[in-house]
Amino acid sequence: MTAEAVSLEMTTPSLPDWVFPPPEGFAAEDLDHIPDLPAHTELIDGSLVFVSPQASFHMRVTSLLESEVRRAAPADLRVRREMSIILDRDQRPEPDLCVISAGAEEHAEQTFYHARDVLLVAEMVSPESRTRDRQRKPQLYASAGIPHFWRIENQSGKAVVYVYELDPATKSYTLTGIHHDRLKLTVPFDLDIDLDAIDHI
């Protein structure tokens, strides 16, 4: 072994075993048992997906939607931020926001919800997650039967919300509106959100 090889071996940190998925891929429940797993790790198609640091725009939009949706939600619903959802054996994404039935909240140490209890998921698109948020995650949420999906994009510092509703016959989402300055909806419940309010957060 050369001196260069020895030096490289000594300075390169070894990766933990859990970085490498088993042959059958990770299962959704594995995320609760992997030691030292980075916060907000998702499971997509049996592989771990790590999240980049959150940008200010992402944080402000998520905070605005969380507070406004919580204010408008009926009493039998709950709004949750950055909680993972088990969609299938090897699918456990963590949407930026979700609306669940009140009965889905089982105990204080809960780390996930099941798709059957989720009414709405919202994903704030980041540069590193663009393909997942625009393509793969909507496919997964729709296949799991989640009725409503929002995708939020940053267009020159302004939030644009793409609103989708599930077609139960095809298990796919249909775009029902693109909202630039104001998010005004009657489903899944009445909402009227000034999207420009992120400038004051």
Side-chain angles (χ1 to χ4, degrees), residues 121-135:
V121 288
E123 292 284 0
M124 177 69 218
V125 176
S126 301
E128 58 86 22
S129 67
R130 187 176 293 113
T131 299
R132 289 193 305 275
D133 292 339
R134 289 178 175 175
Q135 299 176 27

Side-chain angles (χ1 to χ4, degrees), residues 53-63 81 154 198 201:
Q54 191 177 97
S56 170
F57 181 85
H58 186 294
M59 179 275 297
R60 288 182 289 125
V61 172
T62 306
S63 294
R81 180 174 178 163
N154 178 353
I198 63 166
I201 294 177

Side-chain angles (χ1 to χ4, degrees), residues 31-197:
L31 267 65
D32 291 326
H33 308 291
I34 298 174
D36 303 317
L37 193 67
H40 308 298
T41 299
E42 299 181 284
L43 185 69
I44 305 292
D45 300 325
S47 295
L48 301 176
V49 177
F50 306 108
V51 181
S52 297
Q54 191 177 97
S56 170
F57 181 85
H58 186 294
M59 179 275 297
R60 288 182 289 125
V61 172
T62 306
S63 294
L64 173 68
L65 293 178
E66 178 186 21
S67 62
E68 291 298 307
V69 172
R70 179 171 285 120
R71 184 182 56 78
D76 61 340
L77 299 176
R78 301 289 182 269
V79 179
R80 295 293 180 260
R81 180 174 178 163
E82 297 168 346
M83 284 287 290
S84 62
I85 301 170
I86 293 183
L87 306 178
D88 205 341
R89 178 205 169 273
D90 59 353
Q91 310 289 357
R92 185 173 165 179
E94 183 183 292
D96 292 299
L97 206 69
C98 66
V99 176
I100 60 169
S101 62
E105 195 64 54
E106 298 172 358
H107 56 82
E109 303 306 314
Q110 193 166 344
T111 59
F112 62 83
Y113 302 111
H114 292 282
R116 64 178 177 266
D117 296 316
V118 181
L119 176 66
L120 163 71
V121 288
E123 292 284 0
M124 177 69 218
V125 176
S126 301
E128 58 86 22
S129 67
R130 187 176 293 113
T131 299
R132 289 193 305 275
D133 292 339
R134 289 178 175 175
Q135 299 176 27
R136 188 62 181 135
K137 282 189 176 182
Q139 292 170 348
L140 295 172
Y141 292 140
S143 294
I146 295 176
H148 301 275
F149 171 69
W150 297 350
R151 189 183 83 244
I152 303 96
E153 303 261 358
N154 178 353
Q155 291 189 6
S156 302
K158 297 289 187 181
V160 178
V161 183
Y162 295 76
V163 174
Y164 297 84
E165 191 167 342
L166 184 69
D167 178 346
T170 62
K171 280 289 185 86
S172 61
Y173 286 124
T174 298
L175 180 68
T176 61
I178 303 174
H179 304 260
H180 291 264
D181 302 310
R182 186 165 225 93
L183 179 61
K184 191 168 185 178
L185 303 172
T186 57
V187 291
F189 42 82
D190 288 339
L191 276 167
D192 189 357
I193 303 174
D194 177 7
L195 296 175
D196 290 334

